[in-house]
Amino acid sequence: MSGVASFAPTPLLLTDAAVRRLRALAGEEGNPQLKLRVFVTGGGCSGFQYGFDFAEQTAADDTLIEIDDVGMVVDPLSYQYLVGSTVDFEEGLAGARFVIKNPNATSTCGCGSSFMV
């Protein structure tokens, strides 16, 4: 029996720290509809750079990833570069920030905010 294997891309994942931070931000804003928008733009020292914003609305072609009571939104162009990535929230000497661990990146810059595929 021969079959055809199908591949379903792994969606983006949010760590527990990122979920807690998103929940806290939505609470601070008094807006439970607030979602983290993750996107990729050209630029940065490695060719592409990550961007983060907050959104209340989603477009029809956005991918919405919900975990419990928080959500993350990704546009279709950015999604192709981020499939399989993990969004985390880190606090350290450099400050507090959302970061992406991207298995698709062939190289990254020192600060981790830009990458190459």
Side-chain angles (χ1 to χ4, degrees), residues 5-13 63 65 76 78-85 103-104:
S6 64
F7 173 74
T10 304
L12 277 75
L13 303 173
T63 297
I65 299 159
S78 298
Y79 187 85
Q80 64 185 329
Y81 296 107
L82 296 170
V83 169
S85 296
N104 305 308

Side-chain angles (χ1 to χ4, degrees), residues 17-116:
V19 168
R20 282 192 302 273
R21 185 61 183 150
L22 284 172
R23 189 175 289 131
L25 288 169
E28 289 170 15
E29 293 294 319
N31 184 354
Q33 302 302 312
L34 198 65
K35 296 168 186 54
L36 179 66
R37 180 172 289 281
V38 181
F39 57 93
V40 172
T41 60
C45 53
S46 295
F48 295 100
Q49 59 188 2
Y50 301 115
F52 300 95
D53 198 359
F54 293 99
E56 293 179 19
Q57 305 291 326
T58 58
D61 59 352
D62 281 340
T63 297
L64 174 61
I65 299 159
E66 293 182 304
I67 297 176
D68 298 325
D69 57 341
V70 299
M72 179 171 51
V73 180
V74 182
D75 65 87
L77 182 62
S78 298
Y79 187 85
Q80 64 185 329
Y81 296 107
L82 296 170
V83 169
S85 296
T86 300
V87 177
D88 195 8
F89 183 76
E90 295 179 347
E91 295 181 81
L93 295 175
R97 63 187 181 141
F98 286 100
V99 295
I100 295 181
K101 295 173 180 141
N102 188 343
N104 305 308
T106 58
S107 67
T108 60
C109 67
C111 67
S113 64
S114 69
F115 69 102
M116 182 182 299

